[in-house]
Structure formats: structure tokens, C-alpha cells
Amino acid sequence: MRWVVLLRGVNVNGVTIKSAPLSAALGRAGFTGVRSVLASGNVTLVAPAQDRETVKGQVEEALRDAFGYDAWVVVLTPDRLAEIAAGYPFVRHDDVDHPYCVFASDQGQLAELVASHTANEQESVALAGDVAYWRCPQGSSTDTPFAKLAAARRWKPVVTTRNLRTVDKLVAVSSDGRS
């Protein structure tokens, strides 16, 4: 079964993992068809396991063993990722704002994060089950109120964010196996 894996905190904060060693480590762990997408902690792969939690555990263990860091990943089916991309509720692309999808280790944590956010005129945030949609002004993805909240010590280990263009690219790669 094909899966999309989003690695948290890769190529930031001193955790640098190049695409080739990442693919090799996952291959040694028994995954096939491993593709690193956009060199920023995005992988598509085929796993013998048919359930998300097993794949998640196997990928995290492979990353810990190969790279020596406390790995945390989000695992999605290509169909679910396509639904997330299609469900983006705000303007997708313009010259003013950037669109993002925010993922967390479970829906409860994500709901708590979004509930902790105070609405403001600078950005838009909407919870949709296992994803939060976020839209903020270009160049401010680290300094808006929601960005600062999501980066806080409490949320930083369990939240990962992807630009909607990256999500669209992952959907394309995972649906046809090519980039």
C-alpha cells in the first residue's frame, strides 16, 4: 500500500537529512518505491503494513536508528492527502497571502491547538478533522499569532506545516508514482 509520510523538523534546527540517505534508510527498513519529494521531509513509499500506526512506528524507528534523532512523522494515504488539498477553504493562490496545511499527531492535539488560537485580521485558521488550514500574509509564516503559537514548546514537537503547493506536489507524486 502506498503512503505519504511527512517528517517533522527535518532540515531545520540542526536535523539535516539528505534525500539519498533518507531513501536508503527507509529501503533498509523494508519500504519500497521510496521517493523523497522537494527535499524537505516529504516521502512517498510503499509499505507491506496496511495500517497507518504500524507504518508510522516503522518509519520513526528507521529514522531514529539511521539518523539518531527523536523522529516524529505524520502518515497519510494519497487519497486522504488529495481530500485535504481539495478541501482548502480559503483562496488558494494570490499575491498577498500564503496557504498552508497544518498536521499533528492526533485530532485532539490539533483541535486543542486551533482552539488556543485567537482570531485576528492578519490570518485565517480553520480546523477540518485531522488537518488545520491556515492562511497568512506572505513573508510572515513565522511571526503571525498562529505561527508563534504553533512553534511554542508545547506544540513544536507534534505539529508540522506544509505549504499548499507542497501538498499539491505530494498529491501528484503519490497518485502516479512520478514527479
Side-chain angles (χ1 to χ4, degrees), residues 14 24 71 141 146 153 156 164:
S141 64
F146 185 76
R153 180 175 295 245
K156 196 171 184 176
L164 186 58

Side-chain angles (χ1 to χ4, degrees), residues 2-168:
R2 179 162 293 284
W3 297 94
V4 177
V5 180
L6 309 176
L7 285 67
R8 162 70 184 87
V10 172
N11 299 332
V12 295
N13 300 324
V15 177
T16 302
I17 301 176
K18 304 253 186 228
S19 296
L22 172 61
S23 295
L26 293 173
R28 286 191 303 273
F31 299 104
T32 59
V34 178
R35 299 270 325 248
S36 180
V37 180
L38 301 174
S40 57
N42 308 297
V43 176
T44 65
L45 51 77
V46 176
Q50 297 295 310
D51 68 284
R52 179 183 0 269
E53 286 306 311
T54 299
V55 174
K56 181 180 186 303
Q58 291 171 340
V59 169
E60 289 173 345
E61 181 178 355
L63 295 173
R64 277 191 300 272
D65 291 349
F67 303 106
Y69 81 105
D70 190 18
W72 177 80
V73 301
V74 171
V75 177
L76 302 158
T77 64
D79 287 346
R80 178 61 189 133
L81 192 65
E83 290 170 359
I84 288 169
Y88 191 80
F90 310 120
V91 174
R92 292 179 69 88
H93 304 288
D94 64 23
D95 294 332
V96 178
D97 292 324
H98 276 185
Y100 292 93
C101 296
V102 182
F103 304 89
S105 60
D106 67 48
Q107 289 181 359
Q109 290 175 317
L110 192 59
E112 192 175 338
L113 168 63
V114 172
S116 300
H117 172 64
T118 303
N120 62 74
E121 293 180 16
Q122 188 177 10
E123 60 195 339
S124 300
V125 178
L127 180 64
D130 61 343
V131 66
Y133 296 111
W134 174 41
R135 184 172 167 77
C136 68
Q138 288 184 17
S140 66
S141 64
T142 60
D143 60 6
T144 66
F146 185 76
K148 290 177 183 177
L149 177 65
R153 180 175 295 245
R154 176 177 181 192
W155 304 112
K156 196 171 184 176
V158 297
V159 172
T160 191
T161 302
R162 295 296 185 277
N163 187 292
L164 186 58
R165 285 181 285 281
T166 299
V167 173
D168 287 339

